[in-house]
Amino acid sequence: MRKFILGFLLVLGGLLVLVGGYGYYNSRDRHPGYTLNLSIKAPEQPRLLKVGFAALPITPHLPDRWTDQNRNAAFEPDEGDTYTDGNQNGKFDAYWMAGFGQERAANGIHDDLWARAVVIDDGKNRLAIVAVDLLGFMHKNVINVRKALPASAGITYAMVCSTHNHEAPDFLGLWGGSILKSGVNKSYELFVEQQVTRAVLRAVGQLRPARLRFAQDLTGADSLLMDTRKPLVKDAGLYIMQALDAQKDSTLGTLVVWGNHPETLWSKNTLLTSDFPHYVRAYLEKGIVQGDSVVQQGLGGAVVYASGCVGGLMTTSPKVTIRDPLTGERFQEPTFAKADAQGKQLAMLIYNALQSDTATVQTAGITLRAQTLEIPLDNNLFQLAVGLGVLDAGYSRWGNFRTEIVAFRIGEATFLGVPGELYPEIANGGVENPPGADFRIKPRETPPLRSLMPGKYKFIIGLANDELGYIIPKSEWDKEKPYLYNAKDKPYGEINSTGPETAPKLYQAMTELLRDL
């Protein structure tokens, strides 16, 4: 009997060692020792700006019979562009779509997904911004891209953000075929990193002397989304940067930022698509036509769409009705016609903003501050997912994620890159400590970030260089009963957040960066 017990304990001990070792391996740091503390000053004498844009597809291959051959992409891939995403070995592995529930396999393609880049050069510094049509692009992926960029590209700083698209392949791992299996296709992950790198290099090759035109519409898009959690604060403003060829006066490209989840097509859609940003980009680039009449001229160039503050959460759910501005038809249920109408409205608002009150700069410098941070992971489900290898994100120090914040200024425009889904009240004001909150404290994330940003045009780009999930004011954090505002149900958000210390820690660090600007 003693031998049996001893043998059993030895086997059990061995299994525990194996499980522990497996979890330790999965939680290893993907980039040991990586840190960034960057301070860039503009040239003493402002020089002529140069700007370049590029767009490369990141759409995975699906079997031809499942592909919509009539999809209408804003850009067609150039000759020589490859789609080596690893899914061409004769065996089809499902691409699990991120967001909503699990086991949502893509069974077709409606429109292409993109990595879209803009590079800005002030004669001394060269800044790259890339937006990808994915739910998230983690910090380890950003570092991989930076390491892949050759020194000859001259990139001083590269920022990669995701649109937070809920109709694209899982890039985090949380939406696989089961809760114990990552949804990330590793070959596809490498392919996307390569395309992001190529997009930056292609944008560098397209650099031209340019003028930057800044515009904004802070209220026009308010009816196109809703806030699903009190306090009701949106980030509904449209922030626009258009680059014009300094010699030809034609559009090189346009950067657009708006704070809303790209999930208008909702949870039952199984066609890969970039959701409403697809229509925003297409209508701005090519124009809007009704019958034989041109309703709105196209701007030309490439449009880079990035998301603002989407936490809270900001959405165009089936509760939101969208009106087609041309036909007057109203859409409530999630359809491509609804996403089309939404994109059309946004494109018209953006175009009109560029025709009204704008600021133009041709000689300017880039001032930038970027900094590595560590954020404690206080989420049991995420901790388990890291240990199981479902969430492919290692610890920089045990129990801590490495992440990054960035702020930069060009003329009258300031940009703040936030590594997750920021609740808009942190940006625009309105943080509360309502009844039912877990912490009875005064709001920590005040004054609002935008009040600290210099200049007239204040771009806050969410999911920049990482996806930490929801960034919730600590004074609004709520996991325990009684719930916020005496609600019957637990609020949504905390389950997809790294923890209650994320917002105050990020806020403090971001305010310090903004002071340096």
Side-chain angles (χ1 to χ4, degrees), residues 85 190 209 235 266 311 423 431:
D85 61 3
L190 177 61
D235 188 30
W266 216 242
Y423 274 42
V431 177

Side-chain angles (χ1 to χ4, degrees), residues 13 30 61 68 119 121 143 176 180 215 234 237 258 264 270 308 317 319 354 361 374 392 448 470 475 481 484 491:
R30 303 306 192 265
H61 273 290
D68 178 6
V119 172
D121 188 307
I143 299 173
L180 299 177
K234 301 178 185 179
W258 189 48
T264 299
T270 56
S317 75
K319 295 180 180 179
L354 286 168
V361 295
E374 284 189 327
D392 188 9
Y470 290 116
S475 58
K481 290 183 177 181
L484 295 177

